[in-house]
Amino acid sequence: MMHRHAFARPGLLALVAVWLLALACPATAQELDSAKFFDDATRQVAEMRARVVAEEYDAATLMAFRDKAGEIAGTADALIADRTPRLETLNARIAELGEAPAKGAPAEPADIAAQRSAFGKTRTTLETEIKRAKLIVSDGQQLGGEVAEARRSLFQRELFQRTASPLTPAFWNDALQGVDRDSARLAALRDGASTSLAAAFEEGRRTASWIGLLVGVLLLVFGRWGAELAWLRATSDRMPHGRLRRSALAFAVIIISAVLPGTGVHAIYLGLNWHDVFVEPFASLASVFVNAVYFGGAITGLGRALLSPGRPTWRLVPVADAVALRLRHFPALFATVVVVGFMLNRTNSVIGTSLSATIAATFVVAVLYAIAAAWVLVRLRGALARQDEAGGDASQLKPPAWIALARTLASLAVLTSFGCALTGYVALAAFLINQVIWISLLAGIYYITVTLVEDICATWLSSRAKWTQGATGLSSNTIDQISVVLAGAFRLLALLFVIVSILAPFGAGPGELLHRGSRLGAGIRIGEIHITPSAVFSAIVVFLVGLFLIGLAKRWLSDRYLPTTRIEEGMRSSITTLLGYAGGVVVFALALSALGLSLERIGWVASALSVGIGFGLQAIVQNFISGLILLIERPVKVGDWVALGTLEGDIRRINVRATEIQMGDRSTVIVPNSEFITKTVRNVTLSNAEGRVRIVLPLPLETDARAVRQLIRDALAAQPAVLANPEPSVLLDNIESGSLMFIVTAYIISPRNAGGIRSELLLDILARLQDAGVALSTPQEIRVSDGHPRSATPAPLEASPALPATPAD
């Protein structure tokens, strides 16, 4: 018989697997005899409730009641999940038949009337079954609550029961009263062990026994050492540098320490009992011992993983070397104490010793556990005191304050356990010290597991991993955010299971969570919407897979297909962006559909949102629609040089709400898309991407105009940035204020280079004019006099400058 306590706490992973299996594989109710089920369920619930009310139970009976109530409620949930869609389909068929003829109206055809009558009877049956099933679910859930309350009451009564103090002779006299019967039971156990082992080595059976012993001894002696060495080499060679190496090794140490020694003992057990020669009660106790070795190995591995006395550079927790070395033997010794105490209690349970002997054994085990816990606390305090006296180790981090608080609470709990044990509250003492040990183990496993998952997310699922951006197409910030959210979600889930496991003795353990989680598999209803865990999971999968496929399609279009077409780069970006928007809408609709929201219900949601849009989201919707117009009509596109009011720059990106414009000083301005639709926009590169340079040159009247024109043309021809087609022009535009006004126009590749090219042209033209002895017109000075001879020389009133060169277009 497998011992329940060996798996009640360590089986968190098994709990998760069973719960997910319950969600993924709902019970089928199609083959269920509903009438018999309703009658049996009603009778069983009534009988269990009567026994709970009358307090005719023990701990095992309450566990059985809880399991049965959960099974009944789960079957009823499955029946509801089966009958509800069938009822909806039947209602749709009845609606297709239309209304029944009114009284006095011509009768409808006989076949339709028969079909309507059959549909009506079936609908009545389905509605009745659904109502009765809902009542059974309610009764089962209510019974589960009553059982949980009864378990808490029973636990409290047993916990605070008091016996005679172990310091008095009365306590040990009670234990000695049944010594003869208990000795006989121990002798029967010893004889069963001798008989079983002798039978295992009889002729024809000894081969399997020797093979099991050989495999078991090899695993016990060399298994853990070889596996850890191989894993250490693998992490050093295959994993990137960082915390992931250390956390992976720490987690592997726990698994290896639990699995390999346990597997070795299990191999010995299987070899010796290959022919089913073990007899009771030795067979049950041997099976329990195998489970105890697994659990003790996990304790040893956890301690070694946290302390890492032989590998300080691989240590995860901020523990000084002196502390780790001082506690290096503690994990193995403590695991031995736990296994010995565990086997002592289980031996009493298997052979059925007297109550007084069981209490005495519980006292011994509680004191043994308390001594072990006190020993480690004293050793830890001594190591920390020595470190403080020596000035501490600068290379080691000081533990956080909560660790000191945890040590204080653990010390108080150990002292309280000693006091309770010596005053006769043996059950309370055992409970306190067991909780100290269990919480410590949970905290260590939680720390290492969460650290491993966070390191995996930070190393392999973050933007630093090479494959993430290429496979997902997401930005580095988005990938990092997803990585942090995944790590946080796992931390929260792990913390939830730790809390549930700590509360297990109070009637809120993993079993209750399993039963409640299995009932959640039927889902919940919000109005007309039926949401189940499988539907939520399907919606998440559809959404993530859809986004991944959209990213692949966008990358294929932008990198492979569109570059082979004649579509310009700006239009390519617009097409890719539109595809992303359209695909996102489709994926979102498919995800809602997988969640159970039909298009009609999505329309209801959109109608409800329209009220909010009408009041508070006008600007967002306006910018969104404007963004779609910009992408479709393309008055501006990515790469255009635009001027919008006082803003002028290149369009770098057109988003769903706003457009990014890069200014000349390399700054980026975010402009709402509606600005491009409702205001005047100057697009310099809309119809022609070429730029123009225009220069105005004032020259004196006596200048040889033909020679100057040729000189300027030579300067234009010498400038490589000036395009030959369209051909540059040099025009004598006018005569103003005694000057010849020459206008020079040249075309260049891009208007963004107009400033630099105009400067080069001006420098070249001025140098050529100077070499030819031609000077530009100088400003004329205008003086105003009052006409009196006594007036001094009039001061200049205004200077009229020469016409400057116009800026580039």
Side-chain angles (χ1 to χ4, degrees):
M1 181 180 63
M2 192 168 293
H3 183 228
R4 175 179 57 83
H5 182 71
F7 293 100
R9 285 176 168 175
L12 293 181
L13 296 179
L15 170 64
V16 178
V18 173
W19 185 53
L20 294 178
L21 184 62
L23 299 182
C25 303
T28 57
Q30 290 84 349
E31 307 297 332
L32 181 67
D33 185 354
S34 58
K36 184 176 183 303
F37 165 72
F38 290 139
D39 294 339
D40 292 343
T42 303
R43 175 180 52 80
Q44 292 173 358
V45 169
E47 292 175 354
M48 289 186 290
R49 177 174 285 112
R51 293 188 61 181
V52 170
V53 172
E55 297 186 355
E56 299 176 357
Y57 53 75
D58 54 15
T61 303
L62 290 177
M63 292 287 290
F65 286 175
R66 184 204 63 186
D67 295 341
K68 189 61 179 178
E71 178 185 350
I72 291 173
T75 305
D77 278 330
L79 190 144
I80 294 173
D82 172 68
R83 299 301 192 262
T84 300
R86 292 166 61 178
L87 179 60
E88 293 176 352
T89 303
L90 186 62
N91 288 332
R93 295 287 303 276
I94 294 175
E96 292 176 357
L97 295 178
E99 297 291 337
K103 186 176 182 179
E108 60 185 353
D111 57 341
I112 296 179
Q115 193 174 14
R116 186 188 302 277
S117 176
F119 284 168
K121 293 179 181 179
T122 305
R123 178 168 64 179
T124 301
T125 301
L126 291 176
E127 290 176 344
T128 302
E129 290 182 349
I130 291 175
K131 291 179 181 178
R132 294 190 67 183
K134 289 181 178 179
L135 181 60
I136 292 295
V137 170
S138 178
D139 288 344
Q141 293 175 350
Q142 184 178 0
L143 176 61
E146 295 173 359
V147 169
E149 182 62 30
R151 288 184 63 199
R152 284 189 286 270
S153 300
L154 180 62
F155 169 75
Q156 292 175 359
R157 290 198 301 268
E158 294 178 348
L159 188 64
F160 291 99
Q161 284 182 351
R162 186 182 180 187
T163 63
S165 172
L167 300 178
T168 62
F171 179 85
W172 301 105
N173 290 335
D174 291 341
L176 293 175
Q177 287 180 357
V179 65
D180 294 335
R181 185 171 63 88
D182 295 336
S183 299
R185 291 178 180 271
L186 285 174
L189 176 63
R190 184 190 60 225
D191 295 340
S194 301
T195 302
S196 300
L197 294 177
F201 287 96
E202 290 180 353
E203 186 69 27
R205 299 172 180 170
R206 62 186 60 171
T207 302
S209 300
W210 283 114
I211 292 176
L213 282 172
L214 179 61
V215 173
V217 170
L218 289 176
L219 289 175
L220 288 171
V221 176
F222 301 105
R224 182 176 63 83
W225 174 79
E228 287 188 11
L229 181 61
W231 184 260
L232 181 61
R233 292 179 177 177
T235 52
S236 301
D237 298 337
R238 303 290 181 86
M239 289 189 179
H241 293 280
R243 285 179 57 90
L244 181 58
R245 284 186 176 186
R246 294 182 289 169
S247 58
L249 179 62
F251 188 79
V253 165
I254 298 176
I255 300 300
I256 291 172
S257 300
V259 172
L260 290 181
T263 304
V265 175
H266 203 172
I268 296 174
Y269 168 80
L270 290 177
L272 296 176
N273 195 34
W274 188 258
H275 299 283
D276 293 329
V277 297
F278 285 5
V279 297
E280 295 293 344
F282 175 70
S284 298
L285 195 61
S287 177
V288 170
F289 179 72
V290 172
N291 300 327
V293 173
Y294 278 109
F295 189 60
I299 295 175
T300 304
L302 177 61
R304 294 178 59 247
L306 291 174
L307 295 176
S308 297
R311 292 184 289 266
T313 58
W314 291 75
R315 189 177 300 139
L316 284 177
V317 295
V319 176
D321 291 340
V323 177
L325 292 175
R326 193 172 179 84
L327 299 177
R328 64 185 181 276
H329 302 301
F330 167 74
L333 294 176
F334 186 73
T336 303
V337 170
V338 170
V339 172
V340 170
F342 177 71
M343 291 303 300
L344 180 59
N345 281 330
R346 288 307 300 154
T347 301
N348 290 331
S349 176
V350 169
I351 66 177
T353 56
S354 61
L355 178 61
S356 57
T358 301
I359 294 175
T362 303
F363 167 76
V364 172
V365 172
V367 172
L368 192 64
Y369 286 175
I371 292 174
W375 175 77
V376 70
L377 291 172
V378 171
R379 298 276 292 183
L380 179 60
R381 181 178 180 181
L384 294 176
R386 290 185 180 181
Q387 180 182 351
D388 293 338
E389 292 175 0
D393 188 356
S395 63
Q396 299 290 343
L397 297 175
K398 289 186 178 181
W402 65 268
I403 293 183
L405 177 61
R407 286 170 41 213
T408 302
L409 294 178
S411 302
L412 291 176
V414 171
L415 293 176
T416 304
S417 178
F418 272 121
C420 292
L422 296 178
T423 55
Y425 292 97
V426 177
L428 181 58
F431 170 76
L432 288 176
I433 194 61
N434 284 332
Q435 285 298 102
V436 170
I437 297 173
W438 179 235
I439 292 174
S440 302
L441 296 178
L442 283 177
I445 295 174
Y446 170 80
Y447 174 78
I448 290 181
T449 306
V450 169
T451 302
L452 174 64
V453 172
E454 290 181 345
D455 291 342
I456 290 175
C457 292
T459 304
W460 287 339
L461 300 180
S462 66
S463 59
R464 291 180 291 178
K466 296 181 179 179
W467 68 273
T468 51
Q469 291 188 358
T472 61
L474 302 175
S475 64
S476 58
N477 290 338
T478 302
I479 294 175
D480 290 337
Q481 291 171 7
I482 293 175
S483 174
V484 172
V485 169
L486 289 177
F490 180 83
R491 177 187 288 268
L492 181 61
L493 183 63
L495 182 60
L496 172 63
F497 276 94
V498 167
I499 294 175
V500 169
S501 299
I502 293 174
L503 297 178
F506 304 97
E512 283 72 17
L513 182 64
L514 174 61
H515 286 284
R516 295 171 187 173
S518 62
R519 290 198 295 269
L520 288 176
I524 58 175
R525 286 189 174 274
I526 303 176
E528 297 295 328
I529 302 175
H530 186 203
I531 300 177
T532 62
S534 59
V536 174
F537 179 76
S538 300
I540 294 175
V541 170
V542 168
F543 187 72
L544 295 179
V545 171
L547 291 182
F548 176 73
L549 294 178
I550 289 173
L552 289 180
K554 290 174 65 177
R555 286 194 301 275
W556 179 79
L557 274 178
S558 60
D559 299 340
R560 301 292 298 275
Y561 176 71
L562 292 179
T564 63
T565 65
R566 296 182 179 180
I567 302 175
E568 59 183 359
E569 185 177 356
M571 187 60 182
R572 296 176 199 169
S573 177
S574 300
I575 292 174
T576 306
T577 305
L578 277 176
L579 174 65
Y581 293 160
V585 172
V586 173
V587 167
F588 185 70
L590 291 176
L592 291 180
S593 178
L595 187 61
L597 295 175
S598 62
L599 294 179
E600 180 181 358
R601 290 169 179 168
I602 295 174
W604 294 347
V605 175
S607 300
L609 290 177
S610 63
V611 178
I613 292 174
F615 283 100
L617 303 178
Q618 301 98 324
I620 296 177
V621 175
Q622 182 183 14
N623 289 321
F624 175 78
I625 299 300
S626 299
L628 295 180
I629 294 174
L630 291 178
L631 292 175
I632 295 174
E633 294 187 355
R634 303 179 67 246
V636 295
K637 57 184 181 298
V638 175
D640 281 352
W641 183 16
V642 299
L644 180 64
T646 60
L647 301 177
E648 186 171 354
D650 296 317
I651 294 180
R652 291 304 182 195
R653 184 179 180 87
I654 300 177
N655 296 314
V656 67
R657 188 195 65 83
T659 297
E660 299 176 7
I661 299 179
Q662 182 174 327
M663 307 296 289
D665 58 356
R666 292 302 187 185
S667 63
T668 300
V669 178
I670 310 299
V671 180
N673 289 331
S674 59
E675 296 288 314
F676 290 91
I677 302 300
T678 59
K679 293 186 178 181
T680 302
V681 180
R682 177 172 174 256
N683 192 336
V684 180
T685 58
L686 176 60
S687 60
N688 193 339
E690 298 171 354
R692 188 182 69 164
V693 175
R694 186 171 181 269
I695 302 175
V696 179
L697 296 174
L699 296 174
L701 285 175
E702 61 274 11
T703 303
D704 185 351
R706 294 182 182 275
V708 169
R709 184 177 65 174
Q710 185 59 40
L711 184 146
I712 296 175
R713 285 178 176 177
D714 294 341
L716 293 172
Q719 177 56 247
V722 175
L723 299 177
N725 186 21
E727 184 180 359
S729 64
V730 180
L731 301 176
L732 179 58
D733 183 64
N734 200 358
I735 299 175
E736 295 182 2
S737 303
S739 299
L740 302 177
M741 307 300 297
F742 283 88
I743 297 180
V744 182
T745 304
Y747 296 91
I748 58 177
I749 296 177
S750 173
R752 299 171 180 84
N753 303 327
I757 295 174
R758 185 183 61 183
S759 175
E760 294 295 330
L761 278 175
L762 277 172
L763 290 174
D764 190 17
I765 291 173
L766 290 176
R768 290 174 184 268
L769 290 176
Q770 186 177 5
D771 293 341
V774 179
L776 295 178
S777 296
T778 56
Q780 295 183 359
E781 192 177 77
I782 301 176
R783 299 177 182 273
V784 179
S785 174
D786 59 3
H788 296 282
R790 64 180 182 274
S791 175
T793 303
L797 177 64
E798 180 182 1
S800 177
L803 293 175
T806 61
D809 293 337

